[in-house]
Amino acid sequence: MIIIGEKINGTIPVVKEAIEKRDAAFIADRAIKQTEAGASFIDVCASTAPEHEVETLKWLINVVQDAVDTPLCIDSPNPRAIEAVFKYVSKPGMINSISEEGDKCEVLLPLMEGNTWEVVGLTCDNNGIPNDLATKISITMNMVEKAAKYGITPDRIHIDPCVMALSTENQSMLNFAEEIRAIKALYPSIHVTGAISNISFGLPVRPLLNKTAMAFAIQAGMDSAVMDPLNREMMGTIFATYALMGQDKHCRKYSKAFRAGQIGPAGK
């Protein structure tokens, strides 16, 4: 599982406060702990006022790069902000994100030409997030075709089918699993990602739904996730699911994760 660590995001109150105070030690500690927990990428999202976003992203990038060697995932709804800070990232990472909304593909995909950067692609367009599989597949195909013009192969793309909340769409998980399978069938080497916790919005005991949804999604073919790598229960679900699916020979990765303290009761 490719884990995109989500804990450096200005929408989180304690992170917002650290950003406002320019508390580099707090941000660095979050980066280090996520790396130690197994994050493949560290997401950095400023979520500040537009006029301050580029400056804040640049600061976050510098702090995290000084703290860890883990590749960064540069996260902003504004493609121009990502474009502005791109040159400050010391090694290839991930862009979060493109879609068929506005000119995101046109601004961001050229940045990935001739290097090994990866990108998250959201299945949405100027009409928002579609509810039907056919439209999501069409959006995916359009993004893949645009990426190909810059030499970007499907294995560098992480498609996010945008899972809907179960509280508003009773078939949400079943639809998400169908979307994952359809995307992987069309592009076997492409990655499928998502913020699986969206599934439980508005419902009680959210961790229970999130863990179960993660197992469903992995079985359907999801191999990337925006999540908290310090969440031992979710990490345990990931390792257990791969083991139960027969994709962890002799359960070595599961056992190694337990010995390393990534899964199981705290302190074990």
Side-chain angles (χ1 to χ4, degrees):
M1 175 65 72
I2 299 166
I3 297 172
I4 304 164
E6 67 180 4
K7 292 178 70 65
I8 301 177
N9 189 311
T11 62
I12 302 170
V14 290
V15 176
K16 178 181 179 181
E17 182 180 358
I19 289 173
E20 292 172 346
K21 293 180 177 179
R22 289 298 189 264
D23 187 346
F26 178 91
I27 299 298
D29 182 65
R30 287 211 154 198
I32 292 168
K33 286 180 178 176
Q34 288 184 96
T35 295
E36 291 175 345
S40 311
F41 295 88
I42 302 294
D43 190 85
V44 289
C45 181
S47 293
T48 56
E51 62 269 24
H52 301 304
E53 185 175 20
V54 170
E55 176 195 353
T56 304
L57 272 175
K58 182 182 175 183
W59 177 76
L60 286 171
I61 287 167
N62 289 335
V63 170
V64 175
Q65 287 185 152
D66 286 344
V68 298
D69 291 327
T70 309
L72 304 187
C73 177
I74 309 304
D75 188 350
S76 172
N78 180 3
R80 298 295 179 184
I82 295 176
E83 182 184 40
V85 301
F86 189 79
K87 62 185 177 182
Y88 299 112
V89 184
S90 61
K91 66 180 179 180
M94 183 180 291
I95 290 172
N96 190 4
S97 58
I98 59 169
S99 68
E100 283 292 272
E101 180 185 15
D103 61 353
K104 290 184 177 182
C105 285
E106 289 68 27
V107 173
L108 297 176
L109 289 176
L111 300 176
M112 299 174 60
E113 187 173 19
N115 54 51
T116 59
W117 274 79
E118 299 180 30
V119 66
V120 173
L122 304 177
T123 56
C124 58
D125 57 20
N126 291 323
N127 296 315
I129 301 173
N131 291 321
D132 63 295
L133 175 61
T135 304
K136 290 189 176 186
I137 291 297
S138 176
I139 292 172
T140 297
M141 293 175 67
N142 288 341
M143 289 190 290
V144 171
E145 289 172 6
K146 289 178 180 180
K149 295 178 182 178
Y150 298 97
I152 303 165
T153 50
D155 61 304
R156 292 169 58 191
I157 302 171
H158 298 244
I159 295 294
D160 183 350
C162 302
V163 64
M164 306 301 289
L166 190 64
S167 57
T168 59
E169 172 50 68
N170 192 235
Q171 301 293 308
S172 178
M173 189 64 230
L174 298 177
N175 293 340
F176 189 58
E178 182 183 16
E179 291 155 7
I180 294 169
R181 293 188 183 100
I183 291 167
K184 294 292 283 187
L186 191 60
Y187 302 107
S189 66
I190 210 165
H191 300 289
V192 179
T193 194
I196 202 71
S197 61
N198 290 345
I199 194 81
S200 64
F201 182 79
L203 292 170
V205 200
R206 293 188 66 184
L208 177 59
L209 286 167
N210 294 343
K211 290 184 295 180
T212 307
M214 178 64 82
F216 267 83
I218 292 173
Q219 187 177 35
M222 189 174 83
D223 61 350
S224 171
V226 181
M227 58 170 283
D228 175 6
L230 299 177
N231 185 327
R232 297 166 66 90
E233 290 189 354
M234 184 64 86
M235 290 294 285
T237 295
I238 292 171
F239 282 104
T241 302
Y242 280 114
L244 290 167
M245 289 174 60
Q247 295 183 20
D248 180 7
K249 189 174 182 180
H250 302 308
C251 300
R252 288 170 181 162
K253 293 180 180 178
Y254 178 86
S255 299
K256 183 179 179 181
F258 174 76
R259 290 193 298 271
Q262 288 178 281
I263 65 175
K268 297 291 184 181

